[in-house]
Amino acid sequence: MMRQHHKIKMEHPDLLLFFRCGDFYEMFFEDAITGSRELEITLTSRNNDRSGNPIPMCGIPYHAAETYLTRLLKKGFKVAICDQVEDPRVAKGIVKREVTRILTPGTTIEKGLLDSKENNYLGCLAENDGTVAAAFLDVSTGEFMAVEYSGADAWAKVEQELYQFQPREILLAESSMATLEPVLKKLLGPLAVYTPIPEWVFHPDYSRRLLLQQFKVSSLEGFGIEEKKSLIPISGALLHYVKHTQKTELSHINGLQLLDQSTYLKMDESTVNNLELLKGLDGNRVWTLFATMDATRTGMGARLLRNWILRPSMNTQEIDARLDAVEELAGSVIGSSALVKHLCKILDIERLLSRVTLEKANPRDLLAMRDSFRILPSLAETLLRFNSAMLHPEMDLLEDLTKILEEAIDDDAPVSINEGRIICKGYNVDLDELRHISHSGKSFIAELEAKERKSTGISSLKIKFNRVFGYFIEVTKTNLDSVPDHYMRKQTLVNAERFITPELKEYEDKVLGAEEQIIEIEKNIFLDIRNRIAGEANRIQLTARIIALLDVLHSFSEISRNYHYSRPSLDTTKRLKITNGRHPVLELQGDQSFISNSLDIDADGEKMVILTGPNMGGKSTYLRQNALIVIMAQMGCFVPADEASIGLTDQIFTRVGASDNLARGRSTFMVEMTETARILNTATDRSLILLDEVGRGTATFDGLSIAWSVAEYLISRKPRTIFATHYQELTRLEKLYEGVRNYCVTVKENSGDIVFFHKVLPGMANKSYGIEVARLAGVPSPVILRAREILKRLERKQLNVSGQNRSSTLSEEAADSLQLDLFKI
């Protein structure tokens, strides 16, 4: 057995090998040491190896394997499952074992490892002649996408895709591991594990053939990648890897989508984080845009909502169609209520289907599919209430599949396919006969015994059973003369003889093998039904996507009605006008009513707002809420505002807050400047830029100079910009350039106390109130008093920037001559 283990381990040296031995999965040698440590299970040893050393080993019960596998995969390990592939009862010698499946972080479909509201992507990357190509596949849903970029900003665009897809595992050609893995780790940190793939897998001919076979087509032109020479190798390599790990057909992977960034609003990692779209700056997932908008009832809908948040549409027709549906649903409480009742009963069909096609679905999974399919006719009937085009999809009701599952799978079927009781009575004649034999054995024996007594005249004749001799007819020696000729002697006892008849022998064979035959027949019937369902994967996927769409649209309507949102209007202008807008997340926190604010900017008119005001006044909230309203509008949802006219936005950029990234070797100011550079280099006049305190991470004069220059550059490039700052000097830009307007967050000072009104109005703040905010934060009184004294003396020019009395260093005139006057340039 250990020779068998060594042979299989040599084929999978980089994986932990779960080696099936009876009712356990065992790990040996280094695998056992690693498994024991990571799973916190006892490390034992058994026998000795050739050098006389004990062999380390540890094991887990096979029925509890998923729990342990989940823990290993979450830690980034890859596991090879080695099962017994022949019946131990008929095996000659050692039972044959093979690796039946390889589990990796990017290919898992285990329920315990998957978040129902997130995709689990596997990625593949390659770089060749300045072109960077990437492909992404979610094995649990069948979603398969690819994209390529060229030019100086290729890696920046790929980084954006990687952050949005967040693959758990990334495949790289063996020859590029040394160069690409460090680059990716610098971009992504510990986001993914990296797996080397042999070079031959990327050969274009092999990849093309693999893709054609998988999609059952004669050309890849229909997927838009026939001329994208870099996409075929990485897409084929990704598919090869999944086939290698899953060891089965992948019928739910039946197409490839070519990504096109021009079709959706783009946001980089910084923007997604700063706007707290998916998680808060503190890492929580409660007060986020996703959590606020998520009233979905299915995992499919939640995943689609998440994708829409990360990729709002740029297609006005598509957006308007969504808004029409949301408006109708929001206005029909009865129809909306009926729709949601149906959605609540539909389970995650997409992931159930993946388990079916990967031959991992159990009877309970098929029952879950059946129960979900049963809802489809009443769901379709409910949709007849509505008029909007998106609420009238051409949905396959899958009635033939529902019928198969209803007729075949028993309501009380167990989880395992090896326990029997899976198939309904009446579905299979042979199965019913075996069940009858198994369940009615006593009555059959009683009837046969009475029949034999009557035919032989032996009143003491008995039919008995034991495990050694099976069934037999027992006759006392005093009645042996009455035994018929067709009785065959089986055993002689002191006072009796035991016989068998052809009829009893036939029954014995049936009964003794009935239970085993029942289980085997039920298993085969189940596998046949599962394969038939897998063969209809394309139909099931299309229906699942329609359900996800309906779920998201209903979610939009529910939050729009509950939170009093209004329908935005979208067009191809470059204007952004929001009347009494609110922050969709913050307005739900606290007991006080949220203070609404308006915005009106236009890339062809007043294109930049210079926003001043104190800390805690609400500048950052104002910046974020306007971006969130744009995102929600281009998703096709109503927005938290009285009115909103949105000129299509192609990109949103944010430079908000100060943070460093030491893991990537960047200081706070370096991060700030990197983000600023990306904005300046890639923004267009259709972009929305939100800048907060640019230049504050360095010396005052350096920071002010950078902020001033950045503002001038943006004015010349015309993107719609809100520029929040404490540099009061920037308010002079309003007089120097057309299209610049000053706004401030209002505050009132009363006897040393300050009251924040959180209202944004035209004008500029006359001070920053930083010391007052420090006092509210609990800074000790001596520090506050000294700060006020220093501020007054600075304002009277009594101190220089080093905090020294000017009279002790330079005259006031000499000191002033050292200050750079930007505004005389």
Side-chain angles (χ1 to χ4, degrees):
M1 190 183 74
M2 292 311 297
R3 282 197 297 269
Q4 191 181 56
H5 172 274
H6 290 328
K7 179 178 181 297
I8 295 171
K9 180 62 180 177
M10 287 177 65
E11 296 170 356
H12 305 279
D14 299 327
L15 309 180
L16 293 177
L17 182 60
F18 274 31
F19 192 77
R20 181 72 179 271
C21 298
D23 291 337
F24 283 79
Y25 282 118
E26 299 287 357
M27 287 174 277
F28 299 99
F29 300 101
E30 290 299 325
D31 287 354
I33 296 171
T34 301
S36 173
R37 180 184 68 246
E38 299 298 334
L39 297 175
E40 299 178 356
I41 57 179
T42 302
L43 179 67
T44 62
S45 63
R46 188 167 182 175
N47 300 331
N48 295 325
D49 60 18
R50 292 180 178 177
S51 61
N53 298 316
I55 299 172
M57 64 179 291
C58 67
I60 59 172
Y62 83 94
H63 61 268
E66 185 168 313
T67 301
Y68 294 97
L69 288 169
T70 297
R71 292 166 62 183
L72 289 172
L73 292 174
K74 283 184 176 179
K75 294 182 177 184
F77 289 97
K78 302 168 190 173
V79 182
I81 305 296
C82 182
D83 282 316
Q84 298 171 175
V85 294
E86 62 179 347
D87 190 337
R89 294 171 298 182
V90 299
K92 295 181 180 179
I94 295 295
V95 176
K96 185 178 180 181
R97 294 175 175 85
E98 291 179 356
V99 172
T100 57
R101 190 173 171 214
I102 296 173
L103 289 84
T104 72
T107 62
T108 182
I109 61 169
E110 274 58 40
K111 297 175 184 177
L113 263 178
L114 297 175
D115 185 333
S116 64
K117 297 189 176 186
E118 293 184 13
N119 287 96
N120 187 66
Y121 287 110
L122 170 71
C124 185
L125 269 78
E127 182 180 26
N128 187 31
D129 295 331
T131 297
V132 184
F136 304 95
L137 170 63
D138 184 345
V139 179
S140 72
T141 65
E143 296 172 67
F144 196 1
M145 287 154 282
V147 68
E148 69 174 15
Y149 297 108
S150 301
D153 61 346
W155 270 108
K157 291 180 178 179
V158 168
E159 180 183 1
Q160 181 176 329
E161 300 289 1
L162 286 168
Y163 183 75
Q164 292 195 349
F165 282 102
Q166 295 193 10
R168 293 278 310 279
E169 182 179 1
I170 296 177
L171 311 180
L172 300 171
E174 288 177 338
S175 62
S176 64
M177 283 289 290
T179 54
L180 289 186
E181 185 177 0
V183 173
L184 292 170
K185 284 185 174 179
K186 189 173 182 180
L187 291 176
L188 303 174
L191 185 66
V193 297
Y194 301 90
T195 301
I197 301 297
E199 295 298 320
W200 66 266
V201 176
F202 290 85
H203 193 282
D205 291 342
Y206 172 74
S207 294
R208 182 187 303 279
R209 185 168 65 253
L210 201 61
L211 292 167
L212 293 175
Q213 291 173 351
Q214 180 66 32
F215 303 148
K216 297 179 174 59
V217 295
S218 58
S219 170
L220 297 175
E221 290 183 2
F223 303 107
I225 66 169
E226 189 66 62
E227 302 303 321
K228 307 274 186 186
K229 302 303 181 184
S230 61
L231 292 186
I232 292 176
I234 64 164
S235 300
L238 196 154
L239 185 59
H240 166 90
Y241 182 72
V242 175
K243 281 180 170 290
H244 170 68
T245 57
Q246 303 305 301
K247 308 289 184 181
T248 186
E249 293 298 317
L250 307 167
S251 56
H252 68 302
I253 302 173
N254 48 39
L256 176 66
Q257 178 186 352
L258 182 63
L259 293 173
D260 182 359
Q261 284 196 345
S262 67
T263 63
Y264 60 85
L265 187 160
K266 297 175 286 296
M267 294 173 284
D268 58 17
E269 175 183 356
S270 174
T271 300
V272 172
N273 288 336
N274 287 328
L275 295 180
E276 299 179 298
L277 300 184
L278 304 177
K279 62 181 179 180
L281 296 176
D282 59 358
N284 85 82
R285 296 176 182 267
V286 178
W287 297 111
T288 63
L289 182 65
F290 176 76
T292 300
M293 299 185 73
D294 184 21
T296 58
R297 266 61 176 193
T298 69
M300 302 170 289
R303 292 192 294 273
L304 181 61
L305 171 63
R306 188 179 187 276
N307 290 334
W308 280 9
I309 287 177
L310 292 174
R311 298 179 190 83
S313 178
M314 285 286 291
N315 186 323
T316 54
Q317 291 183 333
E318 173 78 10
I319 296 169
D320 284 336
R322 295 178 187 176
L323 290 171
D324 288 343
V326 172
E327 184 170 30
E328 188 172 9
L329 285 168
S332 175
V333 177
I334 296 176
S336 179
S337 177
L339 175 59
V340 78
K341 285 181 180 179
H342 298 317
L343 292 172
C344 287
K345 298 176 183 177
I346 297 175
L347 302 179
D348 199 334
I349 297 174
E350 278 185 331
R351 284 187 168 162
L352 287 170
L353 177 62
S354 72
R355 292 180 60 80
V356 168
T357 61
L358 295 174
E359 301 180 356
K360 299 300 181 293
N362 58 47
R364 298 279 178 85
D365 291 328
L366 292 195
L367 287 175
M369 294 189 85
R370 180 203 67 183
D371 293 343
S372 297
F373 293 169
R374 280 174 169 173
I375 307 301
L376 299 179
S378 54
L379 173 63
E381 185 176 348
T382 297
L383 294 176
L384 295 176
R385 299 169 180 255
F386 304 107
N387 298 314
S388 302
M390 277 199 170
L391 300 179
H392 281 282
E394 294 183 11
M395 183 167 60
D396 188 335
L397 302 184
L398 307 174
E399 292 171 305
D400 55 328
L401 303 184
T402 308
K403 183 179 180 182
I404 292 172
L405 295 173
E406 286 179 335
E407 292 177 349
I409 309 299
D410 190 280
D411 288 339
D412 297 320
V415 173
S416 173
I417 64 174
N418 297 314
E419 296 179 18
R421 299 178 288 107
I422 300 172
I423 306 303
C424 292
K425 181 180 179 181
Y427 186 79
N428 181 278
V429 175
D430 294 336
L431 180 60
D432 287 345
E433 182 181 351
L434 286 168
R435 283 173 172 169
H436 176 72
I437 292 171
S438 177
H439 297 155
S440 60
K442 289 183 179 180
S443 61
F444 178 87
I445 293 299
E447 291 172 4
L448 183 60
E449 187 178 76
K451 174 185 170 185
E452 292 299 322
R453 283 179 179 180
K454 184 177 180 180
S455 66
T456 62
I458 304 173
S459 60
S460 62
L461 180 149
K462 294 181 180 178
I463 297 180
K464 297 182 178 180
F465 171 83
N466 68 39
R467 294 185 179 276
V468 176
F469 293 102
Y471 284 94
F472 53 85
I473 299 171
E474 186 172 285
V475 181
T476 61
K477 286 195 174 181
T478 57
N479 292 305
L480 289 179
D481 292 341
S482 301
V483 171
D485 294 338
H486 68 276
Y487 275 33
M488 295 174 286
R489 184 175 279 104
K490 192 168 187 179
Q491 185 183 15
T492 300
L493 302 178
V494 175
N495 298 317
E497 295 278 350
R498 291 175 175 175
F499 300 89
I500 192 75
T501 67
E503 184 179 8
L504 186 58
K505 178 62 177 173
E506 181 183 357
Y507 176 77
E508 178 185 72
D509 291 341
K510 283 187 176 181
V511 170
L512 294 181
E515 288 298 330
E516 292 181 5
Q517 290 181 62
I518 287 171
I519 291 175
E520 190 65 23
I521 291 174
E522 288 204 64
K523 182 177 179 180
N524 289 335
I525 293 173
F526 173 80
L527 295 178
D528 177 65
I529 292 171
R530 191 172 68 181
N531 289 336
R532 289 166 68 183
I533 300 297
E536 304 297 332
N538 190 49
R539 293 172 58 199
I540 298 171
Q541 280 183 325
L542 292 174
T543 297
R545 288 166 188 163
I546 289 171
I547 293 169
L549 174 65
L550 294 172
D551 196 10
V552 175
L553 294 174
H554 178 270
S555 180
F556 286 176
S557 71
E558 187 171 311
I559 64 170
S560 297
R561 183 171 57 245
N562 292 343
Y563 304 147
H564 309 292
Y565 293 170
S566 63
R567 176 170 180 161
S569 63
L570 290 103
D571 53 43
T572 57
T573 69
K574 298 170 186 174
R575 188 177 187 184
L576 176 56
K577 182 179 181 181
I578 298 171
T579 304
N580 293 327
R582 313 185 303 275
H583 193 295
V585 181
L586 295 183
E587 74 165 337
L588 302 181
Q589 301 181 34
D591 299 326
Q592 297 180 346
S593 60
F594 189 87
I595 305 300
S596 61
N597 281 295
S598 301
L599 174 69
D600 189 358
I601 52 177
D602 190 337
D604 293 327
E606 294 178 340
K607 62 183 75 69
M608 178 178 287
V609 167
I610 302 294
L611 182 64
T612 54
N615 290 315
M616 292 179 61
K619 297 195 302 297
S620 294
T621 298
Y622 180 71
L623 266 63
R624 289 183 171 97
Q625 77 182 40
N626 287 302
L628 295 178
I629 288 172
V630 170
I631 292 169
M632 292 174 69
Q634 292 192 207
M635 289 172 65
C637 184
F638 284 21
V639 299
D642 291 350
E643 292 181 65
S645 297
I646 313 291
L648 277 181
T649 302
D650 63 354
Q651 300 176 91
I652 294 179
F653 296 98
T654 63
R655 165 82 284 280
V656 180
S659 62
D660 56 22
N661 193 328
L662 300 180
R664 301 186 195 179
R666 300 173 182 173
S667 67
T668 299
F669 187 63
M670 185 61 178
V671 170
E672 178 183 339
M673 289 299 100
T674 299
E675 293 175 359
T676 302
R678 181 180 299 170
I679 294 170
L680 299 180
N681 289 325
T682 57
T684 71
D685 60 358
R686 199 169 283 284
S687 301
L688 174 62
I689 299 176
L690 310 173
L691 298 176
D692 190 13
E693 307 300 348
V694 169
R696 298 285 285 186
T698 186
T700 302
F701 289 161
D702 280 353
L704 176 57
S705 301
I706 291 171
W708 184 279
S709 182
V710 166
E712 285 187 333
Y713 186 84
L714 291 173
I715 293 168
S716 67
R717 295 290 293 272
K718 296 185 178 181
R720 294 164 290 185
T721 306
I722 306 176
F723 201 125
T725 183
H726 279 288
Y727 291 131
Q728 301 293 328
E729 294 85 350
L730 293 184
T731 59
R732 300 190 189 183
L733 290 169
E734 182 182 62
K735 297 180 179 179
L736 297 176
Y737 297 98
E738 293 183 3
V740 180
R741 295 177 63 191
N742 288 330
Y743 277 78
C744 67
V745 181
T746 55
V747 64
K748 181 179 181 181
E749 187 173 8
N750 185 18
S751 301
D753 290 329
I754 53 174
V755 178
F756 298 107
F757 291 111
H758 304 296
K759 196 68 179 177
V760 176
L761 297 173
M764 59 183 183
N766 55 11
K767 57 189 299 187
S768 293
Y769 297 98
I771 296 175
E772 284 70 20
V773 172
R775 180 181 61 80
L776 292 174
V779 174
S781 296
V783 176
I784 298 298
L785 293 174
R786 175 58 176 160
R788 285 174 176 164
E789 177 186 351
I790 293 172
L791 177 62
K792 290 178 180 178
R793 297 176 69 183
L794 282 170
E795 290 175 341
R796 294 196 299 267
K797 299 183 180 181
Q798 292 178 354
L799 296 179
N800 62 20
V801 292
S802 300
Q804 299 175 310
N805 290 318
R806 282 188 170 169
S807 58
S808 64
T809 54
L810 297 172
S811 67
E812 184 170 316
E813 291 74 12
D816 283 342
S817 68
L818 296 177
Q819 304 298 315
L820 178 63
D821 191 346
L822 289 171
F823 316 108
K824 292 182 179 179
I825 296 176

